[in-house]
Structures are given as C-alpha cells and as structure tokens.
Amino acid sequence: MGVNVNILDKKTADRPSWHEYFMGITELVAGRATCIRRKVGAILVKDKRILCSGYNGAPSGIAHCSETGCLREKLHVPSGERHELCRGVHAEQNAIVQAAYHGISVKDSVLYCTNQPCSICAKMIINAGIKKVYFRNEYNDAMSEEMFSEAGIELIKC
C-alpha cells in the first residue's frame, strides 16, 4: 500500500515547497499594489501552473489612490467597512477579471493570496468555481468564512 504524499507540502533541502513558492509570488505581486492602506497580491494556480495574477489598485486607466489620496482614509472608515467608498479593485477580483479578459478558465483552480479574502471577493471566488483558497494574513470577515464553508471551498492559512 502506497503512502499518500501531498506534493504541495513536499520540500527538498534546496527548493521551496509549492506552498512557499506560490505564497512568495503573491508577496511579489503585492508589491505592484497602489492602495495606500494595504498591499495585497493574489495568483490563480491550476496543476502547479500560474494562470493569472492580480493586485489591489484602481481600474486600468484610472488614477491610483497613491495619486488621488484615499477617501476611506480621509473619512476614517475602518478596515472591512464601506467598500463602496474605495476606488480600488481587490487583488482577488483583479486576478479573476484578468483571467476572464484573456479567456482563461479558472474553474477548479486554487487561489493564493497574501490576505484572507473579504466577503465581496468570496462571492466572486465561489461563482468563479475556485476550489481552494490559501492565504497568509487573516482578515476579520465572518461572512466570508461562512460562505466559503457553505460552498465547500477550503480556506487555509499558510
């Protein structure tokens, strides 16, 4: 009887595990973010191949928050509230939208993200057919966790 080894957790002495590799790339992607409150990066992966990436910032062709200032910051809006006051698109949303724009199916893919997705992103992730979400930093959003659980999507902190 063979031993079931999860290839994503396997690490050799001189190479990062797949989790470390993909999470490291999300950090690099986050470096492109133009949000002045939080820099987030996300990548969509299928069969150990990166399908698309996204970072948080204003839509293409629109001035970035780093140029215009942050309305949420000016109004002292707490994190996780009043998303409609933000001109930025979340990293997870950008990754999904970029995949759609370029005709790349994300069905049954895995999302790696620097931060736990919010409830707005959770809705998109569920409807896009993404099957698992790995994240590094927590984000207090009980609705997001509840929806992922109900949809049968694994939410894993790594």
Side-chain angles (χ1 to χ4, degrees):
M1 190 179 284
V3 177
N4 185 7
V5 177
N6 184 342
I7 192 71
L8 287 175
D9 293 328
K10 190 175 180 181
K11 180 179 179 176
T12 60
D14 60 338
R15 296 175 73 192
S17 70
W18 287 107
H19 281 308
E20 291 168 331
Y21 173 72
F22 292 131
M23 286 307 296
I25 292 171
T26 65
E27 296 290 342
L28 185 62
V29 171
R32 293 279 308 153
T34 60
C35 176
I36 58 179
R37 291 181 82 171
R38 176 180 291 140
K39 296 195 178 295
V40 180
I43 60 171
L44 288 164
V45 175
K46 189 171 185 178
D47 300 327
K48 294 185 274 176
R49 300 292 181 255
I50 297 171
L51 302 175
C52 223
S53 65
Y55 52 86
N56 56 330
S60 297
I62 305 296
H64 297 292
C65 301
S66 55
E67 300 165 332
T68 64
C70 176
L71 179 59
R72 292 166 47 84
E73 190 77 20
K74 289 174 190 168
L75 297 175
H76 306 288
V77 176
S79 178
E81 296 180 15
R82 305 289 315 270
H83 289 105
E84 74 278 6
L85 295 177
C86 180
R87 68 189 291 117
V89 179
H90 290 187
E92 306 94 319
Q93 295 169 342
N94 264 328
I96 293 167
V97 168
Q98 285 302 309
Y101 184 85
H102 293 286
I104 301 167
S105 172
V106 299
K107 184 177 185 285
D108 296 326
S109 66
V110 174
L111 176 77
Y112 281 84
C113 194
T114 55
N115 292 72
Q116 180 180 339
C118 70
S119 57
I120 294 170
C121 291
K123 295 171 195 175
M124 287 185 73
I125 291 165
I126 292 165
N127 280 350
I130 296 166
K131 65 180 179 180
K132 200 177 285 191
V133 176
Y134 292 96
F135 68 96
R136 179 162 289 149
N137 303 308
E138 292 182 357
Y139 183 73
N140 189 14
D141 189 333
M143 183 183 285
S144 167
E145 293 176 26
E146 183 180 306
M147 286 191 297
F148 281 133
S149 176
E150 189 175 336
I153 297 173
E154 291 184 71
L155 184 61
I156 304 160
K157 183 175 181 186
C158 59

